[in-house]
Amino acid sequence: TAGFQGWLIYAATHDSTMAVEPDYYRKAVAWDQRMAQDSVNESLRWTATLALGVVANTGAQVTVHLGDSAHAPVQGARVRVVAIHNLDGARHVEGALAARGDGSYAALLPLDRPGLWEVRVDAIRGREHFTASVRADAIARPR
Protein backbone atom coordinates (compact mmCIF):
# COMPACT_ATOMS: atom_id res chain seq x y z
CA THR A 1 0.00 0.00 0.00
CA ALA A 2 2.77 2.43 0.91
CA GLY A 3 4.55 1.70 -2.38
CA PHE A 4 1.38 2.36 -4.36
CA GLN A 5 0.79 5.62 -2.51
CA GLY A 6 4.36 6.66 -3.24
CA TRP A 7 3.80 5.93 -6.93
CA LEU A 8 0.57 7.99 -6.88
CA ILE A 9 2.38 10.96 -5.32
CA TYR A 10 5.13 10.70 -7.93
CA ALA A 11 2.65 10.42 -10.81
CA ALA A 12 0.64 13.39 -9.54
CA THR A 13 3.68 15.66 -9.25
CA HIS A 14 5.55 14.64 -12.42
CA ASP A 15 2.84 14.72 -15.08
CA SER A 16 3.85 17.17 -17.84
CA THR A 17 0.33 17.14 -19.30
CA MET A 18 -0.93 19.00 -16.24
CA ALA A 19 0.27 22.56 -15.77
CA VAL A 20 -0.56 25.69 -13.87
CA GLU A 21 -0.81 28.89 -15.90
CA PRO A 22 2.34 30.93 -15.18
CA ASP A 23 1.68 34.11 -13.19
CA TYR A 24 -1.96 33.10 -12.80
CA TYR A 25 -2.39 35.35 -9.75
CA ARG A 26 -1.02 38.40 -11.58
CA LYS A 27 -3.32 37.60 -14.52
CA ALA A 28 -6.32 37.27 -12.21
CA VAL A 29 -5.56 40.62 -10.57
CA ALA A 30 -5.23 42.19 -14.03
CA TRP A 31 -8.58 40.83 -15.22
CA ASP A 32 -9.92 44.33 -15.90
CA GLN A 33 -6.93 45.02 -18.16
CA ARG A 34 -7.59 41.77 -20.00
CA MET A 35 -11.21 42.76 -20.56
CA ALA A 36 -10.08 46.20 -21.78
CA GLN A 37 -7.68 44.51 -24.22
CA ASP A 38 -10.51 42.30 -25.46
CA SER A 39 -12.50 45.47 -26.12
CA VAL A 40 -9.56 46.96 -28.06
CA ASN A 41 -9.29 43.74 -30.09
CA GLU A 42 -12.98 43.99 -30.97
CA SER A 43 -12.68 47.63 -32.02
CA LEU A 44 -9.60 46.96 -34.18
CA ARG A 45 -11.34 43.98 -35.81
CA TRP A 46 -7.99 42.50 -36.78
CA THR A 47 -7.69 38.78 -37.45
CA ALA A 48 -4.80 36.40 -36.84
CA THR A 49 -4.38 33.28 -38.95
CA LEU A 50 -1.83 30.69 -37.89
CA ALA A 51 0.15 28.22 -39.99
CA LEU A 52 2.62 25.75 -38.51
CA GLY A 53 5.27 24.10 -40.63
CA VAL A 54 6.51 20.53 -40.46
CA VAL A 55 8.20 19.64 -37.15
CA ALA A 56 11.86 18.78 -37.77
CA ASN A 57 14.98 18.50 -35.60
CA THR A 58 15.44 22.27 -35.79
CA GLY A 59 11.83 23.08 -34.87
CA ALA A 60 8.97 24.30 -37.04
CA GLN A 61 8.14 27.43 -38.96
CA VAL A 62 5.49 29.52 -37.21
CA THR A 63 3.66 31.95 -39.48
CA VAL A 64 0.99 34.41 -38.36
CA HIS A 65 -0.93 36.45 -40.92
CA LEU A 66 -2.57 39.61 -39.59
CA GLY A 67 -5.47 41.18 -41.42
CA ASP A 68 -7.45 44.32 -40.64
CA SER A 69 -11.22 44.82 -40.71
CA ALA A 70 -11.15 45.18 -44.52
CA HIS A 71 -9.03 42.00 -44.84
CA ALA A 72 -6.02 44.06 -45.88
CA PRO A 73 -2.64 42.93 -44.53
CA VAL A 74 -1.50 44.54 -41.29
CA GLN A 75 2.08 45.58 -41.96
CA GLY A 76 4.73 47.16 -39.79
CA ALA A 77 3.79 45.42 -36.55
CA ARG A 78 6.07 43.93 -33.91
CA VAL A 79 4.78 40.42 -33.31
CA ARG A 80 5.66 38.09 -30.45
CA VAL A 81 4.15 34.69 -29.79
CA VAL A 82 3.97 32.12 -27.02
CA ALA A 83 3.35 28.57 -28.24
CA ILE A 84 2.01 25.85 -25.93
CA HIS A 85 1.56 22.24 -26.99
CA ASN A 86 -1.78 20.73 -26.01
CA LEU A 87 -0.06 17.84 -24.19
CA ASP A 88 2.73 19.82 -22.51
CA GLY A 89 1.19 22.89 -20.94
CA ALA A 90 4.14 23.42 -18.63
CA ARG A 91 6.50 24.24 -21.53
CA HIS A 92 6.04 27.57 -23.26
CA VAL A 93 7.99 28.39 -26.42
CA GLU A 94 8.37 32.14 -26.95
CA GLY A 95 9.71 34.11 -29.85
CA ALA A 96 9.56 37.20 -32.02
CA LEU A 97 8.30 36.85 -35.57
CA ALA A 98 9.90 38.75 -38.45
CA ALA A 99 7.79 40.68 -40.95
CA ARG A 100 7.58 39.22 -44.46
CA GLY A 101 6.02 42.31 -46.04
CA ASP A 102 2.61 40.85 -46.88
CA GLY A 103 1.00 41.00 -43.45
CA SER A 104 2.67 37.73 -42.52
CA TYR A 105 5.17 37.33 -39.72
CA ALA A 106 7.28 34.21 -39.32
CA ALA A 107 10.13 32.55 -37.46
CA LEU A 108 11.58 29.11 -36.94
CA LEU A 109 10.78 28.23 -33.32
CA PRO A 110 11.85 25.14 -31.35
CA LEU A 111 8.51 23.34 -31.57
CA ASP A 112 9.57 19.79 -30.81
CA ARG A 113 6.46 17.69 -31.34
CA PRO A 114 3.60 17.33 -33.77
CA GLY A 115 0.03 17.84 -32.64
CA LEU A 116 -2.19 20.69 -31.51
CA TRP A 117 -0.48 23.93 -30.48
CA GLU A 118 -2.05 27.03 -28.97
CA VAL A 119 -0.25 30.17 -30.09
CA ARG A 120 -0.83 33.41 -28.21
CA VAL A 121 -0.16 36.36 -30.48
CA ASP A 122 0.82 39.83 -29.27
CA ALA A 123 1.07 42.43 -32.07
CA ILE A 124 1.90 46.12 -31.66
CA ARG A 125 1.83 48.67 -34.47
CA GLY A 126 2.32 52.24 -33.34
CA ARG A 127 -0.33 52.81 -30.66
CA GLU A 128 -2.42 49.82 -31.78
CA HIS A 129 -2.12 46.68 -29.66
CA PHE A 130 -3.77 43.42 -30.69
CA THR A 131 -3.81 40.05 -28.97
CA ALA A 132 -5.23 36.71 -30.07
CA SER A 133 -5.06 33.05 -29.20
CA VAL A 134 -5.16 30.67 -32.16
CA ARG A 135 -4.68 26.93 -32.52
CA ALA A 136 -3.23 24.80 -35.27
CA ASP A 137 -1.84 21.34 -35.81
CA ALA A 138 1.82 20.78 -36.55
CA ILE A 139 2.64 17.66 -38.50
CA ALA A 140 5.71 15.46 -38.20
CA ARG A 141 8.25 15.20 -40.96
CA PRO A 142 7.60 12.01 -42.96
CA ARG A 143 10.11 9.27 -42.26
Side-chain angles (χ1 to χ4, degrees), residues 16-111:
S16 68
T17 63
M18 297 294 295
V20 174
E21 180 74 25
D23 295 328
Y24 70 90
Y25 182 77
R26 181 184 55 80
K27 289 178 181 179
V29 170
W31 181 253
D32 291 339
Q33 292 172 336
R34 167 67 190 269
M35 297 308 295
Q37 181 60 50
D38 286 350
S39 179
V40 169
N41 293 341
E42 284 182 33
S43 67
L44 284 174
R45 296 181 54 213
W46 288 7
T47 58
T49 307
L50 173 66
L52 298 179
V54 175
V55 176
N57 294 338
T58 56
Q61 184 81 6
V62 175
T63 304
V64 173
H65 180 81
L66 297 177
D68 66 13
S69 60
H71 305 292
V74 173
Q75 299 189 59
R78 286 181 294 124
V79 179
R80 293 198 53 81
V81 296
V82 176
I84 307 162
H85 192 274
N86 198 43
L87 292 178
D88 192 6
R91 182 169 172 263
H92 293 196
V93 178
E94 298 183 33
L97 305 185
R100 297 169 112 186
D102 61 352
S104 294
Y105 301 82
L108 181 66
L109 296 181
L111 306 185

